[in-house]
């Protein structure tokens, strides 16, 4: 599977590039970063601590999308929305780990999902998604219990509340039959 990694110079992006570089089933077909990034033009493998993979970091997604089977995206919301539209046009998979979308972004994401497979989650961890299911069930079982979500992050955390906190909040609200 040929994958594009968005935010390839970031912490998650470098981790994904490294995992793809070590995989026999996956290949890195593109590495995207924002316009003006100091990583532009550098080899994505080198940035990830691997030998060069022959994939230069770019800020132009269009030539990459036509050659890819999927996109792994941990970029800010605005580029993610634009990439969802491109994924829909190319009919490729778009995995979105981006958080902090404005409520009005749901419409364009749903429109893109009619033509491409979109997977979007506030947290990609199996354990956290299991916790969300359990939180929903607990909220149903204990409707009168007050719930508070408290979170702590490293100093580099970009969005607050985090996607994880929102995922858990949505699960609890769904369990209670209310809107978050």
């Amino acid at each position: 599977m040929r994958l594009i990694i968005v935010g390839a110079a970031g912490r998650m992006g470098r981790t994904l590039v490294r995992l793809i570089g070590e995989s026999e089933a996956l290949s890195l077909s593109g590495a995207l970063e924002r316009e003006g990034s100091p990583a532009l033009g550098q080899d994505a493998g080198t940035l990830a601590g691997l030998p060069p993979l022959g994939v230069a970091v770019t800020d132009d997604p269009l030539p990459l999308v036509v050659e890819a089977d999927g996109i792994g995206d941990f970029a800010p919301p605005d580029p993610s929305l634009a990439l969802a539209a491109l994924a829909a046009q190319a009919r490729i998979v778009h995995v979105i780990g981006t958080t902090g979308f404005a409520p009005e972004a749901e419409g364009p994401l749903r429109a893109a999902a009619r033509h491409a497979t979109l997977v979007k989650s506030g947290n990609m961890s199996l354990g956290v998604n299991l916790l969300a299911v359990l939180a929903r069930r607990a909220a149903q079982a204990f409707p009168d219990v007050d719930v508070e979500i408290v979170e702590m992050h490293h100093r580099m955390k970009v969005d607050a509340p985090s996607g994880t906190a929102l995922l858990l909040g949505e699960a609890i609200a769904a369990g209670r039959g209310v809107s978050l």
Side-chain angles (χ1 to χ4, degrees):
M1 184 172 210
R2 300 165 300 171
L3 299 174
I4 300 167
I5 297 302
V6 183
R11 287 180 359 167
M12 181 60 80
R14 288 188 316 247
T15 298
L16 292 172
V17 167
R18 194 167 39 256
L19 291 170
I20 291 168
E22 295 168 352
S23 170
E24 293 183 23
L26 305 172
S27 66
L28 185 68
S29 67
L32 280 170
E33 265 299 328
R34 72 191 181 305
E35 187 177 319
S37 168
L40 294 177
Q42 295 184 48
D43 187 277
T46 305
L47 283 172
L50 297 172
L53 295 175
V55 177
V57 177
T58 182
D59 60 3
D60 185 6
L62 194 54
L64 303 179
V65 170
V66 298
E67 299 294 327
D69 299 309
I71 301 170
D73 181 1
F74 290 83
D78 288 343
S80 291
L81 282 174
L83 286 165
L86 286 175
Q89 290 174 2
R91 305 263 199 273
I92 62 174
V93 176
H94 187 186
V95 177
I96 305 171
T98 298
T99 58
F101 284 100
E104 55 270 13
E106 287 303 313
L109 288 172
R110 287 188 193 283
R114 287 195 295 270
H115 305 285
T117 300
L118 263 64
V119 177
K120 178 179 167 280
S121 179
N123 190 302
M124 295 293 171
S125 162
L126 178 60
V128 170
N129 281 279
L130 175 59
L131 177 61
V133 170
L134 296 173
R136 180 181 181 147
R137 289 185 179 172
Q140 289 171 328
F142 302 103
D144 297 326
V145 172
D146 188 34
V147 177
E148 182 177 354
I149 299 171
V150 179
E151 60 178 343
M152 290 181 14
H153 296 282
H154 51 82
R155 63 183 173 80
M156 305 298 282
K157 182 70 175 144
V158 177
D159 60 332
S162 68
T164 302
L166 291 172
L167 177 74
L168 295 173
E170 289 286 351
I172 292 165
R176 299 238 167 119
V178 298
S179 173
L180 181 62

